[in-house]
Amino acid sequence: MTTSPAVPWTGSDPYAAALDAGHGPLFLRRPDGWLLPLDVERWCARADPVDRMVLDRCEGAVLDVGCGPGRLVAELAARGRTVLGIDVSAAAVGHAMRLGGQALCRSVFEPLPGEGRWGTALLMDGNVGIGGDPRALLDRVARLLTPGGLLVAETAPVDVDERTRVHLTDARRAVGAPFLWARLGTPALLRYARGWQPEAQWTAGGRRFVALRSRCASSRAEPPKSTAVISSQRARKPSAERPVADR
């Protein structure tokens, strides 16, 4: 398994404070001082019409990678869908659970419940940048999905292919150690998506999205005998349709 990158936001007071307040300012800062604004206000709000159109495409059980404060997890849960959010920020996971979603404080590169049985994975809000290695991230997501599973990714609104080290900052001071991040436009993401079948591209509300289909296998592996456990909750036996615990 790919080694997990350093967890940058765990224990980050400005990030936790921004989530509690529901707004920034909060940025990713490159070594040259360039700032990428983080849309904390939208992350902390309820799912908007663009989000809901994305969620309409979801198939089967949904894994929201880098779920943040949980607006998408909460919306899917309200629809009665099986969904799990994962995030390296304990503050974000706590926020998602308070909204009524199911979430786990964990990196996508660590062991996860229901591996190989998720119907859809989401990489929204710039999360194609996680780990700074797009190909490694796509390979990992492919292993999490069921054969022929769906990935919906939000790409940058410009044609960019950038991998760099960044700091989290509130524009006054950097917080924590620098970490690897990537920014990808749609053309760059498609170049990295070897072994994926492009299914759709679209723009809505000034945001850009790509849907990719994972490679189909000739046969599906038997589901594991053990149950999946999220946090301290005892799970029901997972299945291809329900790979995570009900709350």
Side-chain angles (χ1 to χ4, degrees):
M1 179 176 294
T2 305
T3 303
S4 172
V7 176
W9 294 350
T10 302
S12 170
D13 289 341
Y15 183 61
L19 296 187
D20 286 342
H23 60 80
L26 205 62
F27 306 88
L28 296 181
R29 187 176 72 187
R30 289 190 319 212
D32 63 4
W34 183 85
L35 297 174
L36 175 67
L38 301 180
D39 198 352
V40 178
E41 290 84 353
R42 181 167 59 81
W43 297 353
C44 290
R46 293 287 180 173
D48 63 23
V50 175
D51 294 328
R52 293 194 292 272
M53 284 191 294
V54 170
L55 300 184
D56 288 344
R57 293 176 175 262
C58 291
E59 303 170 358
V62 182
L63 181 67
D64 185 3
V65 178
C67 67
R71 75 186 192 284
L72 305 180
V73 174
E75 172 67 20
L76 285 167
R79 297 183 183 192
R81 300 293 298 271
T82 298
V83 58
L84 174 68
I86 59 169
D87 203 285
V88 297
S89 165
V93 167
H95 197 290
M97 295 183 72
R98 287 192 294 274
L99 288 180
Q102 193 166 197
L104 186 63
C105 190
R106 197 168 297 177
S107 164
V108 66
F109 295 103
E110 295 175 331
L112 293 171
E115 295 200 12
R117 297 191 304 280
W118 294 97
T120 302
L122 299 175
L123 286 171
M124 299 280 281
D125 304 325
N127 285 329
V128 291
I130 289 173
D133 186 341
R135 188 161 288 129
L137 178 60
L138 288 170
D139 288 348
R140 173 59 176 149
V141 171
R143 293 194 297 272
L144 295 171
L145 288 170
T146 187
L150 186 68
L151 167 62
V152 181
E154 182 173 357
T155 58
V158 294
D159 186 2
V160 61
D161 183 356
E162 176 186 39
R163 286 173 282 175
T164 186
R165 288 187 176 271
V166 295
H167 270 99
L168 184 68
T169 178
D170 58 7
R172 294 173 297 179
R173 60 189 178 93
V175 179
F179 55 95
L180 292 170
W181 196 255
R183 285 201 311 139
L184 302 179
T186 295
L189 178 62
L190 293 175
R191 286 195 297 271
Y192 288 115
R194 295 185 304 193
W196 294 80
Q197 178 63 43
E199 184 154 299
Q201 302 175 37
W202 71 98
T203 301
R207 298 160 63 189
R208 294 187 179 180
F209 303 91
V210 177
L212 301 170
R213 184 74 60 180
S214 70
R215 189 179 306 162
C216 290
S218 57
S219 62
R220 181 176 296 180
E222 286 293 321
K225 302 295 184 182
S226 60
T227 56
V229 177
I230 297 175
S231 299
S232 60
Q233 299 171 5
R234 180 166 296 183
R236 297 178 185 176
K237 186 174 181 179
S239 69
E241 293 299 319
R242 187 169 294 273
V244 298
D246 286 327
R247 297 193 68 184

